Amino acid sequence: MDKKDISPMDKIRIALIGYGYWGPNLLRNALGQPRFDVRCVAERDAARRDKLAAAYPDIALESDGLTAIARDDVDAVIIASPADTHFMLAKAALEQGKHVLAEKPMTTTVADGEALAELAEARGCVLMTDHTFLFTPSVRMIKSLYDDGKLGRLSYVDSTRINLGLFNMEANVLWDLAVHDLAILDFILNEEPVHMTVSSHAHLTEESPDLVHLTTYYPSGTMAHFNLSWLSPVKLRRMVFGGDEQMLIWDDLNNDEKIKIYNSGIKLREESQRHVATAEYRIGDISVPRVPTGEALAGVAAHFAAVIDGREESIMDGRRAVRIIRILERAQALLDENRRQIAAAKQ
Amino acid sequence: MDKKDISPMDKIRIALIGYGYWGPNLLRNALGQPRFDVRCVAERDAARRDKLAAAYPDIALESDGLTAIARDDVDAVIIASPADTHFMLAKAALEQGKHVLAEKPMTTTVADGEALAELAEARGCVLMTDHTFLFTPSVRMIKSLYDDGKLGRLSYVDSTRINLGLFNMEANVLWDLAVHDLAILDFILNEEPVHMTVSSHAHLTEESPDLVHLTTYYPSGTMAHFNLSWLSPVKLRRMVFGGDEQMLIWDDLNNDEKIKIYNSGIKLREESQRHVATAEYRIGDISVPRVPTGEALAGVAAHFAAVIDGREESIMDGRRAVRIIRILERAQALLDENRRQIAAAKQ
Amino acid sequence: MDKKDISPMDKIRIALIGYGYWGPNLLRNALGQPRFDVRCVAERDAARRDKLAAAYPDIALESDGLTAIARDDVDAVIIASPADTHFMLAKAALEQGKHVLAEKPMTTTVADGEALAELAEARGCVLMTDHTFLFTPSVRMIKSLYDDGKLGRLSYVDSTRINLGLFNMEANVLWDLAVHDLAILDFILNEEPVHMTVSSHAHLTEESPDLVHLTTYYPSGTMAHFNLSWLSPVKLRRMVFGGDEQMLIWDDLNNDEKIKIYNSGIKLREESQRHVATAEYRIGDISVPRVPTGEALAGVAAHFAAVIDGREESIMDGRRAVRIIRILERAQALLDENRRQIAAAKQ
Amino acid sequence: MDKKDISPMDKIRIALIGYGYWGPNLLRNALGQPRFDVRCVAERDAARRDKLAAAYPDIALESDGLTAIARDDVDAVIIASPADTHFMLAKAALEQGKHVLAEKPMTTTVADGEALAELAEARGCVLMTDHTFLFTPSVRMIKSLYDDGKLGRLSYVDSTRINLGLFNMEANVLWDLAVHDLAILDFILNEEPVHMTVSSHAHLTEESPDLVHLTTYYPSGTMAHFNLSWLSPVKLRRMVFGGDEQMLIWDDLNNDEKIKIYNSGIKLREESQRHVATAEYRIGDISVPRVPTGEALAGVAAHFAAVIDGREESIMDGRRAVRIIRILERAQALLDENRRQIAAAKQ
């Protein structure tokens, strides 16, 4: 079945699949999006369905995701079920000509992701993944500074995403935390890494790393390093963008000074290329732009609506989502190799 | 010539070789050490010798290091000349039965270092390297907390040693900055890594990295990661010690709260090994012990005197210094390999 | 009418008067308190009542506070209407033998407050004011440290409660911000100041200060200073407790390190009383106890229930609330005098 | 004796009186000033004179200040002896036509200060006081931003100058710490306060306050508050300048971000003067200008030379120094009154 066009006069009728940890936030923001008419929520757990019925008597409830997707009064589905069900549900939706917004990761393999991307293109449907950070004012501001040349050529990115705790029981620290960094870098640089290295440590269980250092190299010359950990006594969410014009630090936990732009850098003096002795430092002013506040998920919902309406180009379509899964797959392979090497070295 | 014993009644007569960047600090601390009698300074630069003559009329001056070493009134030499002269000068001193304290790195190759270590043992001379951090109250306190079991088994160490600027024109970021971290880890863990990974970036010149991420794995299970950079808009000197009893953060730039001990951690619940779902968090009190102040170099001089006198065991003898050079050599080889891989991947 | 006793078998039936800015928080916490049965909400605004009807179909709605108070099925009232209606409503409730929890300030004059306190005592009713900070884990921890002698004699308290903005249009910065500090100090010290000084500044309007410095002196020797401002470019919520045994800093905006205890101080050496030259400093360890999280309002509701049940002594009864209003009245008089002096000096 | 003119060809010949705590810094900076020729140091203590003789064999030494002042080869004197000797020494110097730079406070009474100011004017001599902060890049930058209108009208200044310890045994916290704030405010505002209030606390001895809150009101409408303490567990050096165009925070202990300029403020909306309800907030970008480094005392010496040479207008002449002493005298009187009131209230 091919996609039906939705007139700007009509609302986009939505089904939400899965009402777990993240579900209430998605529902609240879907309800808040003027283009959306939330018709149905599918949730396996009866107790959660009862709660939903009490709070939202006008929304239809289903116990099964496929039934919700198949409803005649549904134009688009938001998939918030466990990651390993995304492919099956999204495939069903796209085959019925319905638009899809899936939680990250879109699928658990590149092959599944590519199949969905092809299917979406064949049916003319929107296929989008909720990489929420792309919709934060901070990432938008960094992207815009970079595109405007304010940072210059990006020499390196150094990210620290560490805290105490295992919030995600389905994924290791790579799939749970690195996925954010990789989506942000993909969005800002619009490049795929040509080389990667990984080192890791497994504290809690031997099988699954809870501390990973991932380095990615991009064709344009940028090197990015990601420090990812569930074992840190303090929580840090901090990315440094080392441009050759200016440098930028995004400290996502500092509400008053989220972004700092340093007019600092190092260059070789013209007259003496190759001589370290004549490196030229510049330490200048710092500026701290005011970053607007606002919930990222509202932006995700608005973008999904706008892409369905044809008012905006997708910044996170199926092909792009696959690119991020491909990096995760490659990183996972390197990580497995790293674990083997460490084990061998210790014998 | 074999070492002459020095009576506790007599002072240890010192020659200082090299009076460059670090020389005044070494001289000041050598003069402040009650067991020392500084007899001679060797310095090639005439202007610096004139300055010394004015300030310290009682100290003999030589233009040549070997001449200073050969003086009859010299029992021990402090070598602060460029790294590539250390071997030649230390060898001469040890052959004449004189004790040696060399600036770090002790030598530029493992082979040279081993030759010196053997020679020192053969002559019964003290051979020591000035890894200054080992003499700071912070590192001493961390070592003592670790040895007393307060941190438990060390799961990981995460070090950040970054700033803006190339302070050392003779060395890349590995030999200039990582040498500190490696000496500190060697001192605390008393282990040699069994495996390493490196990733790097060269911003200023293609030949010499100014940003390196080094990971080392130790036989006891500890993983250590070192973030080393001359390209950071902010200066950080921060080491996290992730013990399974307590965690510790040493922030060397925070004079009021240099060391914080977090009574926090993650463990698997006994009843359910291997199930991530039952990880157990503990977030407890933090304690901030008062770290005494005091110049590290005074401690270096005192330790050199005490080891010569036989009052203390050396914490940084020739063998240990070689161990650190060996890690640097291995890291450098991995770094060269990493540069080749990146270059190949970009083609 | 005298108070009826409420059996522990029966729930305490509650009416909430006023459902404005703070109302939803009060209602949520009243509903969450197991001893309470929220029977009725009184709210003048029809739109808000409609919203309440939709969300809580089982709660009766009244447009008039006195009607709600008079209901037979109401044992206790929570008054969250504007400050100038508190007296009239609380008086009616107490006269009908009903327990009262009023938002701060309990009344706008000492005379009204005393009348309520007397009435409550005469009828045997509970009269409590919601000085919410007294129910935060931070204030409880400070109170307990102080009572246990861990801080020693309190030499001074230095509070900074500043931010940008006029959040309260009914009150000046004294009645809006100082009320918190004064309640906290009253709770911890259990003393009434014997002397006060005030200085102030009016930036926005000449009549109403938006920046006040208030100093209070207590019989036991403690001096407290409060820096209160709506004109600060940064927000600070910080109280220093200068004990002669230990000092404590409570930084309410620092979620990770809310309370720091400094084992530091100054004392005169015994042998040389009165000679400043022999003051003795002690700079010791810092400890950062883990402060439990939890909503203060839940504690307010629990305490109100427990005092009604006779299970707990009231920590904020009518007499105590009057004490705080009395300080505010005195401070206001000094503030008016200060404004006159400044105006006179400028002429 | 009247002042002799000093040709720009000739050096200004200097005598330094007093070589105590601050003396070495003054001597180093006097020696570093190209216009100065330091001829003589007067110091009562024989041991200190011996030390000086060894380090600076070319400088004449005197045991008596008046003898040094009277020397024929001295054109100007720097007075760094105890505060209560300043008047006698400066008077002698001025009467002999010699220029004077005195440590702060210039004198201990207004009367003495005025006598010196008159004498200096009568003899055509330079009389300057070392209020060192006026020569820091930070204060210069704030002055320049204020003069250029970047801050707008200054609504308030809020200063915090607190630490643990009694560094000055001759003075109370007012004369030791407030003197800095008052000189800075005098320099920036160029106004004398019309009204003041004081509150204080004496922890260590009943006679001498070690914690003072001083508020000063200026004719142009600015209110300034100074929090001064020797009893704080943490050290703060922080001044907030609340302009109605922009606000500025100077944190003198933050080397990386000493000055922050906040494009934030509150104004009444035009249409609704006097109604708090329509206050208008603006929270904008922050900028952190790079503050140059450099020793303030070098600037003091350079300015003293330049004023003697007639190349610069004095920014801290005798009249101005008197103004600051006058504020201190008035504040001291209020402080004594405050102490009496507290004592009376406690009885």
Side-chain angles (χ1 to χ4, degrees):
Chain A
M1 205 186 318
D2 262 15
K3 171 194 68 140
K4 285 179 297 178
D5 281 333
I6 302 163
S7 149
M9 300 293 104
D10 298 327
K11 295 239 178 179
I12 302 165
R13 296 165 303 171
I14 300 285
L16 169 64
I17 317 296
Y19 192 75
Y21 173 67
W22 203 231
N25 296 326
L26 283 166
L27 180 56
R28 181 166 39 77
N29 282 285
L31 289 167
Q33 167 50 238
R35 287 290 292 126
F36 286 171
D37 176 8
V38 179
R39 286 295 174 95
C40 171
V41 174
E43 167 57 46
R44 291 208 173 281
D45 185 81
R48 284 186 195 150
R49 282 202 309 276
D50 289 349
K51 227 169 150 181
L52 272 164
Y56 306 100
D58 297 339
I59 298 180
L61 296 174
E62 304 280 358
S63 61
D64 178 61
L66 290 173
T67 314
I69 290 168
R71 286 172 64 110
D72 275 348
D73 64 348
V74 164
D75 303 313
V77 298
I78 300 175
I79 301 176
S81 51
D84 55 8
T85 67
H86 288 186
F87 173 67
M88 179 267 291
L89 293 164
K91 184 162 171 284
L94 294 169
E95 284 173 343
Q96 296 170 52
K98 303 189 172 183
H99 306 288
V100 169
L101 170 65
E103 273 311 293
K104 58 96 190 164
M106 184 171 80
T107 60
T108 53
T109 68
V110 169
D112 284 355
E114 283 180 340
L116 290 186
E118 268 168 46
L119 187 56
E121 285 163 9
R123 303 298 169 108
C125 288
V126 173
L127 171 63
M128 207 175 118
T129 307
D130 172 22
H131 288 291
T132 318
F133 274 107
L134 309 193
F135 294 89
T136 58
S138 298
V139 171
R140 291 299 173 104
M141 185 177 280
I142 296 167
K143 169 74 171 161
S144 152
L145 287 163
Y146 175 67
D147 286 350
D148 294 352
K150 295 287 165 54
L151 305 180
R153 197 178 61 77
L154 218 49
S155 186
Y156 72 91
V157 174
D158 187 8
S159 174
T160 308
R161 192 176 292 277
I162 62 178
N163 51 258
L164 192 67
L166 290 160
F167 298 113
N168 190 331
M169 289 159 290
E170 294 173 10
N172 65 26
V173 80
L174 193 69
W175 288 81
D176 187 51
L177 294 183
V179 65
H180 295 302
D181 290 293
L182 292 169
I184 292 166
L185 259 282
D186 185 273
F187 177 59
I188 291 174
L189 294 180
N190 201 16
E191 286 187 296
E192 199 158 353
V194 291
H195 186 64
M196 300 167 73
T197 64
V198 166
S199 59
S200 71
H201 178 70
H203 167 79
L204 207 57
T205 68
E206 300 232 337
E207 296 77 25
S208 184
D210 26 36
L211 195 170
V212 166
H213 288 273
L214 171 65
T215 311
T216 53
Y217 298 91
Y218 294 85
S220 60
T222 305
M223 174 226 206
H225 179 266
F226 311 103
N227 182 348
L228 309 154
S229 173
W230 286 328
L231 297 176
S232 168
V234 293
K235 183 175 182 177
L236 290 177
R237 293 283 181 269
R238 190 171 172 278
M239 285 183 99
V240 185
F241 293 82
D244 64 0
E245 291 299 331
Q246 295 194 103
M247 300 190 183
L248 182 152
I249 299 184
W250 167 32
D251 181 350
D252 203 37
L253 304 183
N254 184 339
N255 284 322
D256 296 323
E257 305 183 356
K258 259 197 203 314
I259 288 181
K260 285 190 184 177
I261 305 165
Y262 294 78
N263 188 9
S264 300
I266 307 182
K267 285 187 178 174
L268 282 187
R269 281 184 218 274
E270 286 302 313
E271 69 269 36
S272 61
Q273 292 293 332
R274 305 285 172 235
H275 285 276
V276 173
T278 54
E280 192 172 66
Y281 309 86
R282 179 174 39 89
I283 299 177
D285 296 351
I286 306 168
S287 66
V288 188
R290 176 158 167 72
V291 180
T293 52
E295 195 171 10
L297 267 180
V300 173
H303 185 60
F304 188 38
V307 175
I308 291 173
D309 285 347
R311 289 176 286 117
E312 288 180 15
E313 282 279 317
S314 178
I315 63 165
M316 187 38 74
D317 62 16
R319 295 290 168 192
R320 200 141 187 173
V322 169
R323 213 150 93 171
I324 293 159
I325 300 165
R326 188 179 298 123
I327 308 174
L328 287 168
E329 271 195 5
R330 285 169 59 193
Q332 181 67 51
L334 288 170
L335 199 146
D336 294 340
E337 174 61 20
N338 176 253
R339 302 300 307 152
R340 276 192 296 274
Q341 286 173 349
I342 301 167
K346 285 188 187 159
Q347 280 176 344
Chain B
M1 205 185 315
D2 261 14
K3 176 195 63 142
K4 283 179 298 183
D5 280 333
I6 302 163
S7 147
M9 299 295 105
D10 298 325
K11 295 238 179 180
I12 303 164
R13 295 164 301 170
I14 300 284
L16 169 63
I17 317 296
Y19 192 73
Y21 173 67
W22 203 231
N25 296 326
L26 283 166
L27 181 55
R28 181 166 40 76
N29 282 286
L31 289 168
Q33 167 51 237
R35 286 290 292 127
F36 286 172
D37 176 9
V38 180
R39 286 294 173 96
C40 171
V41 174
E43 167 58 44
R44 292 209 172 280
D45 185 80
R48 283 186 195 150
R49 283 202 308 275
D50 289 349
K51 228 169 149 181
L52 273 164
Y56 304 100
D58 297 340
I59 298 180
L61 296 175
E62 303 281 356
S63 60
D64 178 61
L66 291 173
T67 313
I69 290 168
R71 286 173 65 109
D72 274 350
D73 65 347
V74 164
D75 303 312
V77 297
I78 301 176
I79 300 177
S81 52
D84 56 8
T85 68
H86 288 185
F87 173 67
M88 179 267 292
L89 293 165
K91 185 162 170 283
L94 293 169
E95 283 172 344
Q96 296 170 51
K98 301 189 174 185
H99 306 288
V100 169
L101 169 66
E103 274 310 294
K104 58 99 191 159
M106 185 170 78
T107 58
T108 54
T109 67
V110 169
D112 283 355
E114 284 180 339
L116 290 186
E118 268 169 46
L119 187 55
E121 286 163 8
R123 301 299 169 108
C125 287
V126 173
L127 171 62
M128 209 174 116
T129 306
D130 173 22
H131 288 290
T132 318
F133 274 107
L134 309 193
F135 294 89
T136 57
S138 298
V139 170
R140 290 300 174 104
M141 185 177 280
I142 296 166
K143 169 76 170 160
S144 151
L145 287 163
Y146 176 68
D147 285 350
D148 294 353
K150 296 286 163 55
L151 304 180
R153 197 178 60 80
L154 218 48
S155 186
Y156 72 91
V157 174
D158 187 8
S159 175
T160 308
R161 192 176 293 275
I162 62 179
N163 52 258
L164 192 68
L166 290 159
F167 297 112
N168 190 331
M169 288 159 291
E170 295 173 10
N172 65 25
V173 78
L174 193 69
W175 287 81
D176 187 51
L177 295 182
V179 65
H180 295 301
D181 291 292
L182 292 169
I184 292 165
L185 259 281
D186 185 272
F187 178 60
I188 292 174
L189 295 180
N190 200 14
E191 285 187 296
E192 199 158 355
V194 291
H195 187 62
M196 299 167 75
T197 64
V198 166
S199 59
S200 72
H201 178 70
H203 166 79
L204 207 58
T205 68
E206 298 232 340
E207 295 77 26
S208 184
D210 25 37
L211 195 170
V212 166
H213 289 272
L214 170 65
T215 310
T216 53
Y217 298 91
Y218 295 85
S220 60
T222 305
M223 174 227 208
H225 178 268
F226 311 103
N227 181 349
L228 309 155
S229 173
W230 285 328
L231 297 176
S232 168
V234 293
K235 183 175 181 177
L236 290 176
R237 293 284 181 270
R238 191 171 172 280
M239 286 184 99
V240 186
F241 294 83
D244 63 0
E245 291 299 332
Q246 294 194 105
M247 300 188 184
L248 182 152
I249 298 183
W250 167 32
D251 181 351
D252 202 37
L253 303 183
N254 185 339
N255 284 322
D256 295 324
E257 305 184 356
K258 259 197 204 314
I259 289 181
K260 286 190 183 175
I261 306 165
Y262 294 78
N263 188 9
S264 299
I266 307 181
K267 285 189 178 172
L268 282 187
R269 281 185 217 274
E270 283 304 311
E271 68 270 37
S272 61
Q273 291 294 332
R274 306 285 170 232
H275 286 277
V276 173
T278 54
E280 191 172 68
Y281 309 88
R282 177 174 41 89
I283 299 177
D285 295 352
I286 306 169
S287 66
V288 188
R290 176 157 167 73
V291 179
T293 52
E295 194 171 11
L297 268 180
V300 173
H303 186 59
F304 188 40
V307 176
I308 291 173
D309 284 347
R311 289 175 287 116
E312 288 179 17
E313 283 279 317
S314 178
I315 63 165
M316 185 41 70
D317 61 15
R319 295 290 168 194
R320 199 138 188 174
V322 170
R323 213 150 90 171
I324 292 158
I325 301 164
R326 188 178 298 123
I327 308 174
L328 287 168
E329 272 195 2
R330 285 169 60 192
Q332 181 66 51
L334 289 170
L335 199 147
D336 294 340
E337 173 63 18
N338 176 253
R339 302 299 306 153
R340 276 192 295 276
Q341 287 173 349
I342 301 166
K346 285 187 187 161
Q347 281 177 341
Chain C
M1 204 183 321
D2 263 14
K3 176 195 65 143
K4 286 179 299 182
D5 281 333
I6 302 164
S7 147
M9 299 293 105
D10 298 326
K11 295 237 178 180
I12 302 165
R13 295 164 304 171
I14 300 284
L16 169 64
I17 317 295
Y19 192 74
Y21 173 69
W22 204 231
N25 296 326
L26 284 166
L27 180 55
R28 182 165 40 77
N29 282 285
L31 289 168
Q33 168 51 237
R35 286 290 293 126
F36 287 171
D37 176 8
V38 180
R39 286 295 173 96
C40 171
V41 174
E43 167 58 44
R44 292 210 172 279
D45 185 80
R48 283 186 194 152
R49 283 202 308 275
D50 289 349
K51 226 167 147 184
L52 273 164
Y56 304 100
D58 297 340
I59 299 180
L61 296 175
E62 303 281 358
S63 61
D64 178 61
L66 291 174
T67 314
I69 290 167
R71 288 171 64 111
D72 277 349
D73 64 348
V74 165
D75 304 312
V77 298
I78 300 175
I79 300 178
S81 51
D84 55 8
T85 68
H86 289 184
F87 173 66
M88 179 267 292
L89 293 164
K91 185 164 170 284
L94 294 168
E95 283 171 345
Q96 296 170 53
K98 302 190 172 183
H99 306 289
V100 169
L101 168 66
E103 273 310 293
K104 59 100 190 158
M106 183 172 79
T107 58
T108 54
T109 69
V110 169
D112 283 356
E114 284 180 341
L116 289 187
E118 269 168 44
L119 188 55
E121 286 163 8
R123 303 297 169 110
C125 286
V126 173
L127 171 62
M128 205 175 119
T129 307
D130 173 21
H131 288 290
T132 317
F133 274 107
L134 309 192
F135 294 89
T136 58
S138 298
V139 171
R140 291 300 174 103
M141 186 177 279
I142 296 166
K143 170 74 169 160
S144 152
L145 288 163
Y146 176 68
D147 285 350
D148 293 353
K150 296 284 164 58
L151 305 179
R153 197 179 60 79
L154 218 49
S155 186
Y156 72 93
V157 175
D158 187 6
S159 174
T160 307
R161 192 176 293 276
I162 62 179
N163 52 259
L164 191 68
L166 291 160
F167 299 112
N168 190 331
M169 289 158 291
E170 295 174 9
N172 64 25
V173 79
L174 194 67
W175 288 81
D176 187 51
L177 295 182
V179 65
H180 295 302
D181 290 293
L182 293 168
I184 292 166
L185 259 283
D186 185 272
F187 177 59
I188 291 174
L189 295 180
N190 201 13
E191 286 188 296
E192 200 159 354
V194 291
H195 187 63
M196 297 166 74
T197 65
V198 166
S199 60
S200 72
H201 178 70
H203 166 80
L204 207 59
T205 68
E206 299 233 338
E207 295 77 25
S208 184
D210 26 36
L211 195 171
V212 166
H213 288 273
L214 170 66
T215 310
T216 54
Y217 298 91
Y218 295 85
S220 60
T222 305
M223 174 227 207
H225 178 266
F226 311 103
N227 181 350
L228 309 155
S229 172
W230 285 327
L231 297 176
S232 167
V234 292
K235 183 175 182 177
L236 290 177
R237 293 284 181 268
R238 191 170 171 280
M239 287 184 99
V240 185
F241 293 83
D244 65 0
E245 292 298 332
Q246 294 194 104
M247 302 190 182
L248 182 152
I249 298 185
W250 168 32
D251 180 350
D252 202 36
L253 303 183
N254 184 341
N255 284 323
D256 296 324
E257 304 184 356
K258 259 197 202 315
I259 288 181
K260 285 190 184 176
I261 305 165
Y262 294 78
N263 188 10
S264 299
I266 306 182
K267 284 188 177 172
L268 280 186
R269 279 184 220 274
E270 285 303 312
E271 69 270 38
S272 61
Q273 291 293 332
R274 304 290 171 228
H275 285 277
V276 173
T278 54
E280 190 172 68
Y281 309 87
R282 178 174 40 88
I283 299 177
D285 295 351
I286 306 169
S287 67
V288 188
R290 177 160 167 72
V291 180
T293 51
E295 196 172 9
L297 267 180
V300 174
H303 186 59
F304 188 40
V307 176
I308 292 172
D309 285 346
R311 288 175 286 118
E312 288 179 16
E313 282 281 316
S314 178
I315 62 164
M316 186 38 72
D317 63 15
R319 295 289 168 195
R320 199 141 189 173
V322 169
R323 211 151 93 170
I324 292 159
I325 300 165
R326 188 178 298 122
I327 307 174
L328 287 168
E329 272 195 2
R330 287 170 58 193
Q332 181 68 51
L334 290 170
L335 198 147
D336 294 340
E337 174 61 18
N338 176 254
R339 301 300 305 152
R340 276 192 295 275
Q341 288 173 348
I342 300 167
K346 285 189 186 160
Q347 280 175 344
Chain D
M1 203 184 321
D2 262 15
K3 174 194 67 143
K4 285 178 299 179
D5 281 332
I6 302 164
S7 148
M9 299 295 103
D10 297 327
K11 295 238 178 180
I12 303 164
R13 295 165 304 171
I14 301 284
L16 169 64
I17 318 296
Y19 192 75
Y21 173 67
W22 204 230
N25 297 326
L26 283 165
L27 181 56
R28 181 165 39 77
N29 282 285
L31 288 168
Q33 167 50 237
R35 287 291 293 127
F36 287 172
D37 176 9
V38 179
R39 285 296 174 93
C40 171
V41 174
E43 167 58 43
R44 290 208 175 282
D45 185 82
R48 283 186 196 150
R49 281 203 308 277
D50 290 348
K51 225 169 154 183
L52 272 164
Y56 305 100
D58 297 340
I59 299 179
L61 297 174
E62 303 281 358
S63 61
D64 178 60
L66 291 173
T67 314
I69 290 167
R71 288 172 64 110
D72 276 348
D73 64 348
V74 164
D75 304 311
V77 298
I78 300 175
I79 301 176
S81 52
D84 55 8
T85 68
H86 288 185
F87 173 67
M88 180 267 292
L89 293 164
K91 185 162 168 284
L94 294 169
E95 283 171 345
Q96 297 170 53
K98 303 192 173 182
H99 307 289
V100 170
L101 169 67
E103 273 310 294
K104 57 96 190 166
M106 184 172 78
T107 59
T108 54
T109 68
V110 169
D112 284 356
E114 283 179 341
L116 289 186
E118 268 167 48
L119 188 55
E121 285 162 9
R123 303 297 169 110
C125 287
V126 173
L127 171 61
M128 207 174 117
T129 307
D130 173 23
H131 288 292
T132 318
F133 274 107
L134 309 193
F135 294 89
T136 58
S138 298
V139 170
R140 291 300 173 103
M141 185 177 279
I142 297 166
K143 170 73 169 159
S144 153
L145 286 164
Y146 175 68
D147 286 349
D148 294 352
K150 295 285 164 56
L151 305 179
R153 199 177 59 80
L154 218 47
S155 185
Y156 72 91
V157 174
D158 187 7
S159 175
T160 307
R161 192 175 293 277
I162 62 179
N163 52 258
L164 191 68
L166 289 160
F167 299 111
N168 190 331
M169 288 158 291
E170 294 173 10
N172 64 25
V173 80
L174 193 68
W175 287 81
D176 186 52
L177 295 182
V179 65
H180 295 301
D181 291 293
L182 293 169
I184 291 165
L185 260 282
D186 184 90
F187 177 60
I188 291 173
L189 295 180
N190 201 14
E191 287 187 297
E192 201 159 352
V194 292
H195 187 64
M196 298 167 74
T197 64
V198 166
S199 60
S200 72
H201 178 71
H203 166 78
L204 206 57
T205 67
E206 300 234 338
E207 296 77 25
S208 183
D210 26 35
L211 194 171
V212 166
H213 289 272
L214 171 65
T215 310
T216 54
Y217 298 90
Y218 295 85
S220 59
T222 305
M223 173 226 208
H225 179 267
F226 310 104
N227 182 349
L228 309 155
S229 172
W230 285 328
L231 297 176
S232 167
V234 292
K235 182 175 183 179
L236 291 177
R237 294 285 181 268
R238 193 171 171 279
M239 287 184 99
V240 186
F241 293 83
D244 63 0
E245 292 298 333
Q246 294 195 104
M247 301 189 181
L248 182 153
I249 298 183
W250 168 32
D251 181 350
D252 203 37
L253 303 183
N254 184 341
N255 284 322
D256 296 323
E257 305 184 356
K258 260 198 202 313
I259 288 181
K260 285 190 184 176
I261 306 165
Y262 294 77
N263 188 10
S264 300
I266 308 182
K267 285 188 176 172
L268 282 186
R269 281 185 218 275
E270 284 303 312
E271 68 268 39
S272 59
Q273 291 293 332
R274 305 288 171 233
H275 285 277
V276 173
T278 54
E280 193 173 67
Y281 309 87
R282 179 174 40 87
I283 299 177
D285 296 351
I286 306 168
S287 66
V288 188
R290 176 158 167 72
V291 180
T293 52
E295 196 173 7
L297 266 180
V300 173
H303 186 61
F304 188 38
V307 176
I308 292 173
D309 285 346
R311 289 175 286 117
E312 289 180 14
E313 284 279 317
S314 178
I315 62 166
M316 185 38 74
D317 62 14
R319 296 291 168 193
R320 198 142 190 171
V322 170
R323 211 150 94 169
I324 292 158
I325 300 165
R326 188 179 300 122
I327 308 174
L328 286 168
E329 271 195 3
R330 287 169 59 192
Q332 181 66 52
L334 289 170
L335 199 147
D336 294 340
E337 173 62 18
N338 176 253
R339 302 299 307 152
R340 277 191 295 275
Q341 287 173 349
I342 301 167
K346 284 189 188 160
Q347 281 176 343

